[in-house]
Amino acid sequence: MIRNEGFEIIDTTLRDGEQSAGVVFSVEERMNIILALDKAKVKWIEAGIPAMGKQECEDLKLMLNLPIKSNLIAWNRANLEDLKASIDCGFKFVHVSLPVSDLHIEHKLQKSRTWVLDQLKKCMEYLQNYGVTIIIGAEDASRADPEFFLQYADIAASYGAIRIRYSDTVGCLDHFTTYRKIKEIADHNPLPVEIHAHNDFGLAVANTLAAYKAGAKFASVTVTGLGERAGNASMEETAFSLKRFYNYDCGIELEALPFLAEMVSRASERTLFPYKPVVGSLVSNL
C-alpha cells in the first residue's frame, strides 16, 4: 500500500467555495466556520481575498484575531496592489496566483510567458520585504506545458515559496491523467505540490487521491465540495477516503466533519442531500 506521509489538507471553503454562484457568507458565518475548522484541526484555511475592498479587509482582520491554531491564508492575484492589501491586513501567509497555460496567458491575460515569469519575480521580490510565508498558485496548470510549469516553480522556489498549487481550473482531468501528470511534476519539481481539483466530471476527490498517490504533498478542498460550477473536492470525502483506502490520517478530526458539513450547508443555503457521500443522513456505514 502506498502511503504519502506528510500529506496535508488546505480548506478553501471561504475563498473558492464562496465563489459558487449565489453563495455569500456573513462575517459571523465565516468566523464560525473558521472556529469549527480550527476545532477539527484543519491546519490551513484560505480565508479570503483582501483586494475585494475595505469591508473585506475589516472582516479579515477580525478573523485574524480569532484565538485559533489554524494558519489563515490570503489569496491574491499577482499584482502589488493586491499584495499590499494582504500585508496591510496583517496576513503572515500569502498566496500569489498566476495562470500558466498558454490558453489563459494569451486569451485571459493577453500577455506572454515571459510576462508571467517577470510578474512572478516582481511579486516575490515585493513580498520578501515583509517576511511573510509565500505560497504560489499555478492556474490552469492541467492544460499548461509541464516544462513551463517547472520553470515557473523554479523561480518561485528561488525566492523561498513553500509550495506550489497545481490547479485543474476547468476540471478537465481524470484520475489516471492526474496521476501521470502529478507524478511527472512531483519527481522534478523543487517545491511540494498542492493539488486543486474541480468536480466538473464528478472526479475531484478521485483526482485528489490520485495526486496523493503520485506524490503531491497538499490538497485544497472545501467543506461539502462547495465551489464554482460543479464544485471542488470535498473535505469530508477526501479525509475519509484517505483513512479508509490508504490508512492515512491527514490530521483532521473526522468526527467533526458531519457538523462542519451541516454548518456550511446552512450558511451557503445549499441543501445537504441525504445521499451525499460520507455526511448524508442515509449514509451510515462509515
Side-chain angles (χ1 to χ4, degrees):
M1 180 178 292
I2 296 175
R3 285 171 59 89
N4 182 353
E5 299 295 342
F7 187 78
E8 296 183 4
I9 297 295
I10 299 150
D11 179 77
T12 184
T13 305
L14 299 178
R15 202 278 299 172
D16 215 7
E18 199 179 25
Q19 288 184 207
S20 179
V23 174
V24 179
F25 297 128
S26 69
V27 63
E28 290 81 11
E29 289 168 336
R30 295 168 73 184
M31 293 174 74
N32 286 334
I33 290 170
I34 287 175
L35 290 170
L37 288 167
D38 179 67
K39 190 175 181 180
K41 297 184 178 177
V42 177
K43 183 177 179 181
W44 303 96
I45 301 171
E46 217 167 55
I49 307 172
M52 289 178 64
K54 184 178 178 181
Q55 185 58 55
E56 175 70 1
C57 288
E58 294 303 315
D59 293 347
L60 288 170
K61 288 177 183 175
L62 293 175
M63 297 173 206
L64 285 167
N65 284 327
L66 288 171
I68 59 174
K69 294 181 179 178
S70 302
N71 299 311
L72 299 188
I73 305 167
W75 190 94
N76 298 271
R77 298 170 297 185
N79 68 62
L80 300 192
E81 285 188 8
D82 287 20
L83 299 180
K84 183 178 185 304
S86 289
I87 298 297
D88 290 346
C89 281
F91 278 97
K92 301 300 182 186
F93 298 91
V94 176
H95 182 108
V96 184
S97 188
L98 274 162
V100 294
S101 72
D102 290 333
L103 273 170
H104 276 207
I105 292 170
E106 294 172 10
H107 298 289
K108 178 180 173 183
L109 296 180
Q110 298 183 326
K111 302 289 185 181
S112 66
R113 289 186 180 188
T114 299
W115 183 90
V116 168
L117 299 181
D118 288 344
Q119 193 67 11
L120 177 63
K121 292 175 187 174
K122 185 177 177 182
C123 291
M124 299 292 284
E125 287 169 358
Y126 175 81
L127 288 173
Q128 283 187 323
N129 296 323
Y130 296 95
V132 297
T133 299
I134 307 169
I135 301 158
I136 294 301
E139 295 173 34
D140 205 26
S142 53
R143 295 191 293 179
D145 174 359
E147 291 299 321
F148 183 66
F149 177 91
L150 291 173
Q151 191 178 357
Y152 180 81
D154 281 341
I155 291 173
S158 72
Y159 283 92
I162 62 167
R163 62 175 177 260
I164 185 166
R165 172 176 288 174
Y166 183 98
S167 293
D168 182 21
T169 302
V170 298
C172 64
L173 293 181
D174 74 346
H175 44 301
F176 300 109
T177 309
T178 299
Y179 180 88
R180 177 176 56 78
K181 284 178 174 280
I182 297 298
K183 179 71 176 167
E184 179 181 345
I185 285 171
D187 286 347
H188 300 91
N189 195 358
L191 292 173
V193 175
E194 171 192 334
I195 183 68
H196 179 89
H198 277 273
N199 202 37
D200 296 70
F201 289 92
L203 294 172
V205 173
N207 291 347
T208 300
L209 297 178
Y212 162 80
K213 293 194 72 173
K217 290 298 182 184
F218 298 86
S220 51
V221 301
T222 62
V223 178
T224 73
L226 184 68
E228 61 180 333
R229 306 190 311 279
N232 297 55
S234 84
M235 176 185 292
E236 56 275 13
E237 292 171 36
T238 300
F240 270 89
S241 294
L242 286 168
K243 184 64 177 176
R244 170 64 178 82
F245 297 114
Y246 310 116
N247 194 29
Y248 180 72
D249 180 356
C250 63
I252 293 176
E253 295 285 349
L254 301 183
E255 297 77 11
L257 296 182
F259 172 77
L260 257 171
E262 287 287 350
M263 173 183 281
V264 170
S265 176
R266 285 195 302 274
S268 62
E269 299 183 356
R270 297 293 172 88
T271 303
L272 196 60
F273 294 111
Y275 45 84
K276 176 85 166 68
V278 177
V279 294
S281 60
L282 297 178
V283 180
S284 59
N285 61 340
L286 298 173

